[in-house]
Amino acid sequence: MSRTVSLPLWLFGLILLFAAVTFASHFLFPSVRWFFRKRMERAVARLNRRLARPIEPFKLARRHDMIQRLIYDPSVVEAALEHARSQGVPENVAFELARDYAREIVPAFSATVYFTFGIRLAKALSRLLYRVRLGELDMKRLERIDPEASVIFVMNHRSNMDYVLVTWLASRTSALSYAVGEWARIWPLSAMIRSMGAYFIRRRDRTHLYRRVLARYVQLATEGGVTQAFFPEGGLSLTGRQAEPRLGLLNYIVSGASERRDVIFVPVAINYDRVLEDRVLIAAGALGQRRFRAPIRPLLRGTVFYLWRRVTGRLTGFGTASVAFGTPLSLAQFRAGHGGETTAALAEELMRRVAETVPVLPVPLVCWLLLERQPRTEAVLLEEVGAALDRLTGLGVQVPRRDTGEVMADALRILRRRRLVAPSSLSLSEEGIPLLRYYANSIAHHFEAPALPAPTLRPEQVL
Ligand SMILES: CCCCCCCCCCCCCCCC(=O)SCCNC(=O)CCNC(=O)[C@H](O)C(C)(C)COP(=O)(O)OP(=O)(O)OC[C@H]1O[C@@H](n2cnc3c(N)ncnc32)[C@H](O)[C@@H]1OP(=O)(O)O
């Protein structure tokens, strides 16, 4: 028993290593995990005191527990059994598949990553690129929402800056959980996105089992009071106009909503003087496909150029980015007024509210006027800008707070710098017209019905 055993050094090292790992995983890791969890809970409690909508326990549940809860949900179990039957595979294979789906969907929210890293980065990036505008009324509207309800932000999708801006602007209210498409499923981006509380969705997987797991996740999160955000259009707008809504996520929310907790949808509309990806989106639209090839070289060149201008103090930025929150809609109230088919009617109403909330900015406005009214001099354009702003203000649309002359000058400066408008006249460059159309489209619906009255021009303004 007390005999000496001789071992090669490498084997001894290996045994020590395994012993250390076992010791750590049984004794050290649980207490380290417990220590960090306690710290995290204290930090979240402090954070919740200053948030209008505190972070719900659902969002803080351990990822492993959430995955278990999801795959043992009766409707997921039923879908897995049905999958096994229809595909002729053993039940445990179908359950493993459900587990894989759940692992892919369930986020790993970290309040530290979200509030100390994400929000700060989002704020810095937004301010670096744009002059950011948020209506004052908007924050008050958000703070008035029933604290017991689940809030879901429904947004138009213009740029990858959308979620950066909204995440930062809504950070006084709560942490948002986004539905993210397949494009972000690359490491380490996917890990970062998960830790920001976002959940992944597969838009192309139409199998019943996958859709059941996704539906139940969305329903459990909504029931758990998680504040969410999604883009019903399901992708970036390629034309500048709002696209038709996808009904899937909305239908999961509507069909899973309980009497216990109302769901409040908050329409969010974003608009820009300059969408960073505009040329890529227009090119994809012209080809009729949604495959975006990131132009790496122009991107790097642009970034270096931009940073150089920033360092040398010659940077004028990309104009204004404006976010506006529209009139919230209560699902319970909407349902009471709409029997039968709720999802499609709800989608239509939400898209209408998002559209009416779209803010008007100098570049989209001047693009629309240049294309539709074709003014020949800046004096005529100025008159048109004034008339349009008066009309839009009358309709309750959010317009720039600067005076008419500044609005026109800002827009022309940006358009001329991009060589879309001639330096000393209002002539448009041929290849710039699709870009002008793209920006004009973002606000065209505000003018569509009824038509803008004819401008009142003094005779000396007409060439
Ligand atoms: C630097 C610092 C950063 C800081 C900040 C970081 C934040 C952390 C990162 C966040 C990053 C976010 C970035 C997001 C940017 C995207 O990724 S946008 C794209 C992802 N989002 C979306 O797509 C949301 C909207 N999409 C949907 O709702 C889609 O329907 C789904 C669920 C994805 C499914 O896709 P689909 O099958 O192509 O869609 P669709 O045909 O419309 O729907 C079919 C379903 O609708 C149902 N349906 C159809 N018509 C009806 C009807 N009339 N009534 C009822 N149901 C109907 C069908 O029955 C079917 O049901 P299921 O079979 O699914 O159960």
Side-chain angles (χ1 to χ4, degrees):
M1 198 60 191
S2 53
R3 251 185 321 145
T4 309
V5 179
S6 56
L7 287 175
L9 192 57
W10 66 264
L11 186 56
F12 181 63
L14 206 62
I15 291 171
L16 272 188
L17 183 74
F18 280 135
V21 169
T22 311
F23 174 77
S25 66
H26 278 80
F27 299 101
L28 214 54
F29 289 170
S31 43
V32 168
R33 263 200 301 265
W34 180 83
F35 173 77
F36 281 113
R37 186 142 190 101
K38 279 279 151 222
R39 276 182 64 114
M40 188 272 281
E41 280 169 6
R42 276 200 296 271
V44 169
R46 273 198 305 277
L47 185 67
N48 274 347
R49 280 199 285 275
R50 67 178 165 82
L51 289 178
R53 312 192 64 80
I55 304 170
E56 292 287 334
F58 179 93
K59 204 158 175 173
L60 301 169
R62 283 178 55 206
R63 188 170 131 82
H64 173 77
D65 299 344
M66 194 57 236
I67 293 171
Q68 296 296 103
R69 187 174 164 196
L70 192 54
I71 58 177
Y72 290 114
D73 183 275
S75 79
V76 172
V77 171
E78 194 189 304
L81 293 175
E82 163 61 28
H83 182 85
R85 261 196 310 275
S86 64
Q87 301 298 309
V89 293
E91 285 172 5
N92 61 335
V93 172
F95 279 112
E96 255 330 289
L97 187 60
R99 187 187 300 277
D100 286 347
Y101 289 149
R103 276 203 202 107
E104 184 184 284
I105 294 168
V106 174
F109 177 69
S110 155
T112 316
V113 174
Y114 193 93
F115 285 97
T116 51
F117 165 74
I119 299 294
R120 283 185 191 161
L121 192 62
K123 180 177 173 183
L125 197 60
S126 306
R127 286 187 161 172
L128 177 76
L129 300 173
Y130 295 105
R131 179 168 45 197
V132 180
R133 267 197 54 199
L134 171 72
E136 267 170 37
L137 179 83
D138 296 325
M139 266 353 266
K140 294 210 181 84
R141 243 185 206 162
L142 286 188
E143 281 157 15
R144 275 204 305 268
I145 294 175
D146 171 10
E148 288 305 311
S150 295
V151 172
I152 303 186
F153 291 85
V154 181
M155 303 155 51
N156 65 340
H157 201 9
R158 302 291 314 285
S159 162
N160 282 295
M161 281 301 293
D162 296 349
Y163 45 87
V164 177
L165 282 161
V166 173
T167 301
W168 164 44
L169 294 174
S171 64
R172 250 177 46 200
T173 311
S174 190
L176 303 184
S177 172
Y178 287 89
V180 189
E182 305 77 349
W183 61 270
R185 265 196 276 141
I186 37 165
W187 196 87
L189 185 64
S190 53
M192 196 198 104
I193 284 181
R194 268 207 185 92
S195 64
M196 297 284 292
Y199 60 95
F200 283 99
I201 54 176
R202 296 180 182 198
R203 286 166 291 188
R204 287 182 282 276
D205 194 331
R206 288 176 187 266
T207 55
H208 177 61
L209 178 56
Y210 173 73
R211 289 295 164 97
R212 203 82 303 267
V213 180
L214 176 63
R216 284 308 291 148
Y217 174 74
V218 174
Q219 289 164 351
L220 289 172
T222 311
E223 225 169 81
V226 174
T227 307
Q228 299 163 58
F230 77 97
F231 297 95
E233 295 163 82
L236 290 159
S237 164
L238 303 182
T239 58
R241 270 186 190 269
Q242 202 167 284
E244 287 298 310
R246 300 293 184 96
L247 300 181
L249 284 189
L250 207 55
N251 190 40
Y252 300 154
I253 294 164
V254 170
S255 54
S258 67
E259 303 270 295
R260 203 173 57 82
R261 205 193 270 272
D262 193 7
V263 178
I264 306 285
F265 293 98
V266 179
V268 184
I270 308 165
N271 208 356
Y272 299 87
D273 270 335
R274 166 102 187 246
V275 170
L276 301 178
E277 318 84 324
D278 54 9
R279 286 182 198 273
V280 177
L281 298 173
I282 293 168
L287 290 173
Q289 59 178 26
R290 280 206 158 265
R291 290 224 178 90
F292 311 118
R293 237 187 289 133
I296 302 293
R297 272 204 205 146
L299 200 69
L300 286 178
R301 227 179 348 201
T303 310
V304 171
F305 180 67
Y306 186 81
L307 291 176
W308 172 247
R309 286 176 70 90
R310 178 123 198 133
V311 169
T312 55
R314 282 183 295 142
L315 185 81
T316 41
F318 293 120
T320 304
S322 183
V323 179
F325 294 96
T327 313
L329 181 151
S330 144
L331 179 58
Q333 281 175 19
F334 187 83
R335 268 184 157 160
H338 289 77
E341 237 279 30
T342 315
T343 308
L346 176 67
E348 196 180 316
E349 178 58 20
L350 289 174
M351 296 311 274
R352 193 188 63 74
R353 291 193 190 195
V354 172
E356 74 179 15
T357 311
V358 171
V360 168
L361 292 177
V363 169
L365 177 63
V366 167
C367 287
W368 189 86
L369 291 170
L370 288 173
L371 292 173
E372 300 300 322
R373 316 293 273 187
Q374 300 171 358
R376 296 181 59 189
T377 66
E378 287 191 21
V380 180
L381 177 61
L382 188 65
E383 188 89 3
E384 294 269 14
V385 170
L389 288 177
D390 286 347
R391 179 185 155 81
L392 292 166
T393 309
L395 291 173
V397 176
Q398 202 177 93
V399 297
R401 284 188 284 253
R402 278 155 288 157
D403 73 44
T404 315
E406 278 180 87
V407 168
M408 185 184 82
D410 274 0
L412 287 179
R413 198 185 56 249
I414 295 174
L415 295 173
R416 285 185 170 136
R417 204 174 53 217
R418 299 190 74 187
R419 300 197 178 88
L420 305 176
V421 173
S424 51
S425 73
L426 294 183
S427 311
L428 310 179
S429 74
E430 194 56 42
E431 89 283 4
I433 291 187
L435 271 162
L436 264 69
R437 176 62 60 203
Y438 169 84
Y439 286 98
N441 278 348
S442 69
I443 57 158
H445 60 281
H446 289 313
F447 295 103
E448 267 156 16
L452 192 69
T456 47
L457 299 179
R458 288 187 296 276
E460 67 274 15
Q461 288 175 322
V462 184
L463 282 179

